[in-house]
Amino acid sequence: MGRRILNDALRAIVNAERRSKSTVELQPISTVMSSFLKIMKDRGYIKNFHVHDPHRVGRITVELQGRVTDCRALTYRQDIKAKDIEAYRLRNLPTRQWGYVVVTTPDGILDHEEAISRNVGGQVLGYFH
């Protein structure tokens, strides 16, 4: 169920971007989703996001800026070693210039660049470009 929540939220972001919306509301929420959105914000793909009432069902309001072409969550969390992250990125992202693979590691949820620099592997959550 938790993997489906992340996938539905990311698809809602892509659909809102295609319709040129400035904001989108995501509900229900999870901590993995807010960590994924934090990486998207740090890399400049979304402007900001606000978590409303996180202790109940909650909702997240995301301010978009029109950079997200596609983002997906993998429903099967594929194990990946630190040395294989770059090959996985080249296989799944359209070009070398943009896009990020998000990996959950023992150090937390990281994008592929940070995971390679820390030399940690983990499970692939999803990707965005």
Side-chain angles (χ1 to χ4, degrees):
M1 172 123 175
R3 296 174 188 156
R4 184 70 191 226
I5 291 172
L6 179 61
N7 193 33
D8 290 345
L10 295 179
R11 297 316 301 161
I13 290 173
V14 170
N15 290 338
E17 287 275 11
R18 287 183 181 158
R19 290 181 179 88
S20 301
K21 304 275 185 179
S22 61
T23 61
V24 63
E25 281 198 6
L26 309 174
Q27 190 177 9
I29 64 172
S30 66
T31 55
V32 173
M33 185 190 312
S34 57
S35 299
F36 200 102
L37 291 173
K38 183 179 179 301
I39 291 173
M40 288 179 80
K41 179 184 172 190
D42 291 343
R43 297 302 179 181
Y45 280 79
I46 60 175
K47 286 182 186 174
N48 203 357
F49 69 96
H50 304 285
V51 180
H52 305 286
D53 198 15
H55 300 294
R56 299 191 60 202
V57 174
R59 62 187 164 88
I60 296 178
T61 304
V62 181
E63 297 174 24
L64 305 172
Q65 65 183 32
R67 276 196 69 195
V68 178
T69 307
D70 190 22
C71 56
R72 294 182 188 242
L74 300 180
T75 55
Y76 56 95
R77 294 209 177 144
Q78 185 176 0
D79 292 334
I80 193 164
K81 296 178 183 174
K83 64 181 181 180
D84 299 332
I85 292 175
E86 187 65 25
Y88 183 87
R89 181 186 74 86
L90 292 174
R91 192 171 59 240
N92 286 330
L93 294 178
T95 67
R96 292 174 183 251
Q97 282 82 19
W98 67 81
Y100 294 92
V101 176
V102 180
V103 182
T104 178
T105 66
D107 294 348
I109 296 177
L110 308 172
D111 61 12
H112 70 271
E113 291 178 351
E114 207 164 324
I116 290 170
S117 68
R118 292 185 186 186
N119 196 28
V120 292
Q123 292 183 326
V124 177
L125 284 178
Y127 59 89
F128 60 91
H129 58 86

